[in-house]
Amino acid sequence: ARKILEYGQRLSGYVNVDQLDEIENFPLDAKQFLVVEHPSPRRLNVNQLSLNDLKRHPYISFYQARAITDYRRLHGPLRSLDDLRLSKDFPSEAIERLRPYVEF
């Protein structure tokens, strides 16, 4: 239970039960007893956070955080995650996984 809570805090909230698969040694048969109702994760403002703050989120690597800060420096604030589609550090799966956790 502690690992579920800790990971949920790092994520800033669960949006899907399948995210429990990302917890090391989580018993997959326990997922059937859990439900995520009314997901409302805390959102990260990607236009205001520093590189270090961005990379703390489990779904943002150092290279992705650097791509975000470089984009802001070169092009101004991001208007959507689609602005990052041309970056090699943001495949479409990574963008979709991040979508519920960011704001602009």
Side-chain angles (χ1 to χ4, degrees):
R2 183 173 7 107
K3 285 185 176 184
I4 294 171
L5 291 174
E6 288 172 356
Y7 192 65
Q9 288 174 345
R10 286 185 61 217
L11 280 172
S12 71
Y14 289 102
V15 294
N16 189 325
V17 174
D18 291 330
Q19 290 175 297
L20 296 171
D21 296 342
E22 300 163 10
I23 299 172
E24 186 177 337
N25 298 324
F26 182 79
L28 299 180
D29 55 337
K31 272 185 9 181
Q32 63 185 336
F33 302 107
L34 301 169
V35 176
V36 176
E37 289 184 354
H38 312 294
S40 58
R42 245 181 345 217
R43 295 181 178 261
L44 305 168
N45 188 323
V46 293
N47 287 321
Q48 294 178 349
L49 295 174
S50 69
L51 183 140
N52 286 328
D53 291 334
L54 288 167
K55 73 177 184 170
R56 284 190 186 122
H57 194 276
Y59 292 168
I60 301 176
S61 70
F62 168 79
Y63 299 104
Q64 291 171 326
R66 189 173 66 185
I68 291 170
T69 56
D70 287 348
Y71 182 94
R72 290 187 326 214
R73 185 173 41 83
L74 296 172
H75 304 287
L78 284 99
R79 290 181 291 292
S80 92
L81 284 176
D82 294 331
D83 293 343
L84 300 171
R85 285 202 185 275
L86 296 179
S87 171
K88 66 177 174 50
D89 296 311
F90 281 97
S92 59
E93 306 86 42
I95 288 174
E96 292 310 312
R97 191 166 76 158
L98 251 181
R99 202 169 292 281
Y101 294 101
V102 297
E103 66 182 11
F104 306 93

